[in-house]
Amino acid sequence: MPDRVPLFLLLLGLAFAGPVAAAAQTFGLGGSQAALAARPQAEWLGQAQALEKRGDWPGLLAWGEDWARVDAKNPLAWFVQGRALGEMGRHAEAIVAYRQNVRIAPGDVWARNNLGNAYRDSGRPREAMQAYRAAVEIDPDYIQAWHNLGLTFYLTKGQAGVTQALQKLQATDPALADVWRALAIEYSITRDARVAREAVRVLRGLSEAERTRMFGILFAEG
């Protein structure tokens, strides 16, 4: 199965997230809670990355829970919990964590991708594809989510379902069929990033109506 988005990628996101929120208010928090709330975000994230690297998923979950306890509006605190819960096979709880992440930060495509994985691993492929779709609609260049969308579609419908969808897309708009063939079949097989980049380039040239039509056909099949 495709890898989930690891925590180290979130360092990139911090560069685009705007000013870091002010330190959490500690009034009314006693002892250890006050100490937790005083930690800067970099410390929370750094320790989360260290726990992930060691594969200490119970430790990562406890860390994320502590983080959310003192900064519940920080999406990273919920991402950390979702990451740990997914690796522990607690997919229903991972879904709850990632959904909270997305409620706080609707544009977080990494959380939407991992939410899709949690849905997929819970046996809910249609909801998984909807999560991946939301990710690529926000960021059409997010190739990993395109791959997960195509692979989940293929695993759900099989070769016959993929072929049927391609036939319908071909009849509607050959460009749509070419994009889906490249993303759902060729890239999944070859993992050649050039294939995906070219498909995304074509996709960006399509109108919103054309992209909506493509997803409409695919989800009708899904």
Side-chain angles (χ1 to χ4, degrees):
M1 288 294 182
D3 292 338
R4 287 157 176 74
V5 177
L7 293 170
F8 77 85
L9 288 177
L10 293 176
L11 281 175
L12 300 177
L14 291 177
F16 301 97
V20 176
Q25 174 63 47
T26 61
F27 177 77
L29 298 178
S32 61
Q33 284 185 303
L36 289 175
R39 286 176 172 152
Q41 178 161 287
E43 183 179 344
W44 284 110
L45 185 57
Q47 178 64 10
Q49 290 170 314
L51 290 165
E52 180 192 46
K53 187 175 181 179
R54 295 201 300 267
D56 182 358
W57 307 120
L60 183 60
L61 175 59
W63 185 255
E65 290 172 338
D66 280 345
W67 193 354
R69 193 171 296 118
V70 299
D71 191 5
K73 293 185 179 180
N74 191 321
L76 297 179
W78 297 99
F79 187 99
V80 164
Q81 293 180 62
R83 181 82 174 95
L85 289 162
E87 290 292 341
M88 295 167 71
R90 294 163 60 177
H91 303 303
E93 294 168 90
I95 289 169
V96 172
Y98 284 127
R99 288 182 64 179
Q100 180 65 10
N101 183 156
V102 169
R103 275 193 289 270
I104 298 168
D108 188 341
V109 295
W110 295 330
R112 290 186 182 275
N113 176 79
N114 285 13
L115 174 60
N117 290 345
Y119 277 130
R120 180 200 62 207
D121 295 341
S122 297
R124 298 160 68 176
R126 187 174 183 83
E127 289 163 292
M129 289 188 286
Q130 289 170 339
Y132 299 137
R133 172 184 175 176
V136 299
E137 286 184 324
I138 293 168
D139 181 7
D141 290 322
Y142 189 17
I143 291 174
Q144 182 171 319
W146 278 115
H147 169 66
N148 287 340
L149 174 60
L151 181 60
T152 303
F153 185 90
Y154 179 83
L155 292 175
T156 302
K157 300 302 293 183
Q159 184 62 50
V162 172
T163 300
Q164 186 176 17
L166 284 172
Q167 289 172 342
K168 288 195 173 185
L169 287 170
Q170 185 73 34
T172 301
D173 187 334
L176 300 181
D178 289 342
V179 166
W180 186 245
R181 183 181 295 106
L183 290 169
I185 301 176
E186 295 174 19
Y187 178 65
S188 293
I189 294 172
T190 67
R191 298 310 297 267
D192 186 340
R194 293 171 297 179
V195 172
R197 284 196 298 268
E198 176 60 20
V200 168
R201 185 191 67 78
V202 173
L203 181 72
R204 281 190 171 278
L206 300 176
S207 68
E208 182 178 349
E210 287 173 315
R211 289 196 298 270
T212 298
R213 188 158 60 246
M214 179 182 75
F215 282 122
I217 290 172
L218 294 175
F219 275 69
E221 289 298 319

